[in-house]
Amino acid sequence: QVQLVESGGGLVQPGGSLRLSCAASGSIFSINAMGWYRQAPGKQRELVAAYASGGSIRYADSVKGRFTISRDNAKNTVYLQMNSVNAEDTAVYYCNAVVKSHDYVSRNFWGQGTQVTVSS
């Protein structure tokens, strides 16, 4: 069994910074892909930043130059450094991972989500 736990969300002022963390735990043989999605009220869930299965990093155009994804493979943790945030960044941010467990079965997992609210 695999669990993704996000942390770091909260209220932040426009122009401010926030760092989200997502730690994967459980029966993990390898993590094939891991990243962040977000969903604002009335909008579809969208990719924010992610490590694809081949190791490449993908960013949404709206966050390029402002957000940075990083990871600590030894800790099965991915981070999202959010700088210069604006109101459009307000959303629930979800961690997502494709995890191969020790049964060698790959499964897609979602975290519970963490609210990020950008407001003055």
Side-chain angles (χ1 to χ4, degrees):
Q1 300 301 124
V2 175
Q3 183 175 335
L4 303 179
V5 179
E6 302 109 327
S7 62
L11 179 65
V12 61
Q13 294 183 346
S17 297
L18 207 63
R19 190 173 85 148
L20 307 182
S21 299
C22 173
S25 62
S27 181
I28 300 172
F29 180 77
S30 64
I31 299 177
N32 296 326
M34 196 169 186
W36 295 93
Y37 290 71
R38 68 185 181 188
Q39 187 166 21
K43 297 183 179 180
Q44 296 182 5
R45 187 172 298 186
E46 65 174 350
L47 183 145
V48 178
Y51 288 93
S53 60
S56 62
I57 300 174
R58 298 177 179 177
Y59 291 99
D61 289 341
S62 60
V63 308
K64 288 181 179 178
R66 300 189 298 119
F67 293 5
T68 303
I69 189 170
S70 61
R71 63 185 177 184
D72 185 335
N73 291 334
K75 296 181 178 180
N76 291 326
T77 299
V78 66
Y79 307 93
L80 184 68
Q81 179 66 45
M82 306 168 59
N83 295 330
S84 302
V85 298
N86 55 56
E88 287 67 46
D89 296 319
T90 295
V92 178
Y93 285 70
Y94 297 92
C95 183
N96 175 260
V98 178
V99 178
K100 180 178 290 184
S101 299
H102 288 101
D103 60 2
Y104 307 110
V105 176
S106 293
R107 298 180 177 90
N108 189 60
F109 294 92
W110 292 93
Q112 80 286 354
T114 184
Q115 176 71 48
V116 173
T117 302
V118 182
S119 177
S120 60

